[in-house]
Amino acid sequence: MQKILNFIGGEMRAPVSGRYFETDDPAVGAPYALVPDSGAEDLELAVAAAKKAFPAWRDTPAAGRAKALRNLADMIEKNRAGFARAECIDNGRPVAACTAVNIMRGSANLRFFADEAVRFSGEKFKTEKIESYTLPQPLGVVATISPWNLPMLLFTWKFAPALAAGNCVIAKPSEVTPMTAYMLANLANDAGIPGGVFNVLHGKGANIGAAITAHPDIPAISFTGGTVTGTTIYAAAARQLKKVSLELGGKNPTVVFNDADLDKTAEGAIAAGFSNQGQICLCGSRLLVQEGIYEDFKKAFIARAKEIKIGDPLLEETQHGPMVSKAHMEKVLDYIGLAQREGGKVLTGGKRCIVDGRCKGGWFIEPTIIEGLPMECRANQEEIFGPVVTIMPFKTEDEAVALANGVEYGLAASVWTEDRAKADRVAAKIESGIVWQNCWNARDLRTPFGGVKKSGVGREGGRRALEFFTEEKTISRIA
Ligand code: NAD
């Protein structure tokens, strides 16, 4: 089995303890690689290397840092097929979507933050008596901790702004999907990133993740993952007054009004509900449909869900792959069972499915639609993070807003109506960091990204990410 290694000080290193654990290919349901079970000793080596590299990287002109990030983007794009195949095997997302989204957004993230590195600057202020300016300065050695659901996309989204702003990074990818982070680390030296500037430590959250959070020489942590983990990290970081950015879970509404374009909306709601097997924090898992269009919309939505092509994720035509792990598949199936006990009726899907051939042991679940659940039930309140959409009718605009807001999360929402004024009114009232109008997951990387309520603390995206990874110093003099 292939052994993944840590990347510390510009070198591939085995974990000091010599311990590894297995990671699985979810499409076949079997282990295929070994992951370092890193701990505090590995972190000490990485922090020492990063501290040593920091002064020179901080003092490298922004254009120089940008060039290294662009080189890395070029190298990803050159080997996009290899990266996409690796991500597909590691995560289960069909290879076509891995190429178009996970990998190409990975390189786009690097290019975007390369540009931001050059654009980023402080502010100037002037009164009659005082003139001031600010210097945004990097923090030193910072950490990023990322999840398994969009491995390459989120890994790059987090470390690129940290490097762009002049920090050295300890990056911890998810232990469930470590492969493309490992492949990327293999390119860092050739991209011109000096040794120690970018370090990748693999391992379990409870070991290396907790060690990173507790380390006194890491003043900032950018985390994307579940709300429970985020709460643990927030508490640990508070003890040392670390800066934290938390991008957490979601239970996002898709709100469809009577005057929505039925076909376009059904198509959008399918993408929102089932992309990446529903394993995207932004997925629209609660479908709220106004009563005048409810029955017609439901029919169109079910018909489209049944057409989704489930299969071997390595085949170009496959649209729906396996769940990321056996444990996650079981969790999602448990929620489908719970939803039925809570009174829900499964309109389509609802079961594990067996894909013939090489994937017969894979962890697949059918796209599932459930009707008849109250908003207060657990299936409508808790993040299932699988191909499961609940559908319910509403009468008025106010009721739609109340249902949309009736959960503890507040990451994203989509609103579907041909009435622009209504779309704006509803968008303003929905409690979430992002609202899409007549579309889903349309992303301009300059816009703020993040959640409210239990979906997160802080904003990423554009210059906000560089602001997180810097502190502004104010310099004033008498004019
Ligand atoms: P997770 O919280 O289990 O793990 C995320 C990362 O945290 C992993 O690298 C893990 O090893 C690490 N970790 C776990 N325990 C830790 C600890 N005690 N200290 C430090 N690090 C620790 O999340 P997951 O299951 O990998 O990902 C799915 C979750 O991520 C979902 O809830 C999803 O909504 C959320 N997510 C949010 C966004 C967003 O932008 N808001 C994006 C993608 C995913």
Side-chain angles (χ1 to χ4, degrees):
M1 254 194 280
Q2 184 181 357
K3 255 189 190 169
I4 286 171
L5 296 171
N6 290 328
F7 185 64
I8 299 174
E11 287 173 20
M12 285 295 163
R13 306 271 297 247
V16 173
S17 69
R19 282 197 309 269
Y20 292 81
F21 55 87
E22 290 176 342
T23 183
D24 299 321
D25 172 348
V28 299
Y32 85 101
L34 293 170
V35 189
D37 187 3
S38 309
E41 332 73 79
D42 304 287
L43 181 59
E44 285 309 331
L45 294 175
V47 170
K51 279 166 96 169
K52 195 165 157 216
F54 176 60
W57 183 247
R58 174 196 60 201
D59 297 340
T60 301
R65 299 197 295 265
K67 186 165 187 304
L69 292 176
R70 287 194 194 104
N71 289 344
L72 199 53
D74 289 343
M75 293 163 109
I76 294 170
E77 283 164 21
K78 214 166 139 195
N79 185 21
R80 76 181 74 169
F83 270 103
R85 188 181 159 83
E87 185 106 319
C88 171
I89 291 169
D90 213 21
N91 172 272
R93 186 169 207 184
V95 70
C98 276
T99 310
V101 186
N102 300 30
I103 304 309
M104 293 312 285
R105 240 307 284 285
S107 64
N109 287 339
L110 295 169
R111 289 191 195 290
F112 175 77
F113 285 113
D115 291 346
E116 282 295 306
V118 180
R119 270 197 292 264
F120 191 54
S121 65
E123 283 183 282
K124 282 187 177 163
F125 305 86
K126 202 164 183 321
T127 69
E128 275 175 20
K129 292 192 179 141
I130 308 167
E131 57 185 30
S132 310
Y133 64 95
T134 67
L135 277 183
Q137 296 185 315
L139 306 173
V141 180
V142 299
T144 66
I145 301 179
S146 48
W148 51 256
N149 67 315
L150 297 165
M152 180 79 148
L153 188 158
L154 289 170
F155 186 67
T156 49
W157 178 244
K158 301 196 86 62
F159 82 71
L163 292 186
N167 301 278
C168 292
V169 176
I170 314 279
K172 188 205 127 16
S174 168
E175 63 272 40
V176 184
T177 54
M179 188 55 84
T180 44
Y182 169 61
M183 290 170 66
L184 194 65
N186 267 301
L187 302 176
N189 289 334
D190 288 344
I193 298 176
V197 166
F198 172 59
N199 305 277
V200 183
L201 294 182
H202 295 277
K204 297 187 174 162
N207 300 340
I208 186 62
I212 287 171
T213 312
H215 201 288
D217 295 336
I218 299 177
I221 298 164
S222 175
F223 171 77
T224 297
T227 295
V228 172
T229 314
T231 309
T232 308
I233 290 175
Y234 207 13
R239 287 195 277 277
Q240 294 180 41
L241 296 179
K242 290 180 190 232
K243 258 181 136 174
V244 280
S245 165
L246 303 172
E247 298 293 338
L248 309 177
K251 190 74 182 173
N252 311 302
T254 302
V255 184
V256 182
F257 286 96
N258 284 339
D259 61 356
D261 175 322
L262 195 135
D263 284 333
K264 203 173 114 191
T265 306
E267 202 73 46
I270 286 286
F274 299 117
S275 290
N276 201 20
Q277 296 81 251
Q279 302 169 126
I280 300 181
C281 54
L282 306 167
C283 274
S285 53
R286 295 182 298 134
L287 184 49
L288 311 173
V289 186
Q290 202 163 17
E291 58 183 4
I293 195 182
Y294 185 80
E295 289 302 329
D296 288 345
F297 186 84
K298 186 172 85 180
K299 229 180 271 163
F301 187 62
I302 294 171
R304 281 179 166 77
K306 285 183 171 165
E307 282 167 11
I308 294 173
K309 203 166 168 8
I310 307 171
D312 182 342
L314 282 174
L315 300 177
E316 279 290 327
E317 66 270 22
T318 297
Q319 295 170 320
H320 187 95
M323 308 310 293
V324 76
S325 67
K326 184 160 188 272
H328 192 55
M329 174 189 72
E330 285 165 356
K331 178 187 145 183
V332 173
L333 290 172
D334 282 351
Y335 267 112
I336 295 172
L338 172 72
Q340 289 169 284
R341 291 195 299 284
E342 290 180 319
K345 181 177 166 211
V346 173
L347 301 178
T348 184
K351 296 187 301 296
R352 178 176 182 177
C353 59
I354 304 298
V355 170
D356 287 340
R358 95 175 177 102
C359 295
K360 64 178 185 303
W363 300 315
F364 295 80
I365 297 181
E366 298 164 333
T368 298
I369 303 169
I370 303 177
E371 186 185 42
L373 287 167
M375 193 49 80
E376 315 74 62
C377 74
R378 282 183 56 201
N380 263 332
Q381 289 292 321
E382 298 174 17
E383 187 186 43
I384 298 175
F385 219 54
V388 181
V389 174
T390 64
I391 180 165
M392 72 165 66
F394 68 85
K395 286 194 174 65
T396 63
E397 192 177 313
D398 284 347
E399 189 190 356
V401 169
L403 289 169
N405 291 343
V407 294
E408 290 187 316
Y409 292 102
L411 185 57
S414 68
V415 177
W416 301 78
T417 169
E418 294 298 299
D419 177 345
R420 170 66 79 84
K422 180 159 60 186
D424 286 342
R425 271 195 315 271
V426 172
K429 287 183 198 156
I430 287 186
E431 295 163 355
S432 71
I434 304 154
V435 179
W436 286 293
Q437 298 178 334
N438 295 324
C439 63
W440 175 76
N441 204 5
R443 294 274 296 115
D444 175 337
L445 302 187
R446 294 169 303 176
T447 56
F449 182 92
V452 300
K453 304 201 289 194
K454 292 206 169 155
S455 290
V457 176
R459 291 289 178 273
E460 300 183 326
R463 62 172 286 128
R464 284 158 189 83
L466 278 82
E467 281 165 3
F468 174 76
F469 285 117
T470 51
E471 290 289 12
E472 267 185 307
K473 181 181 288 175
T474 299
I475 295 145
S476 298
R477 58 188 160 228
I478 303 302

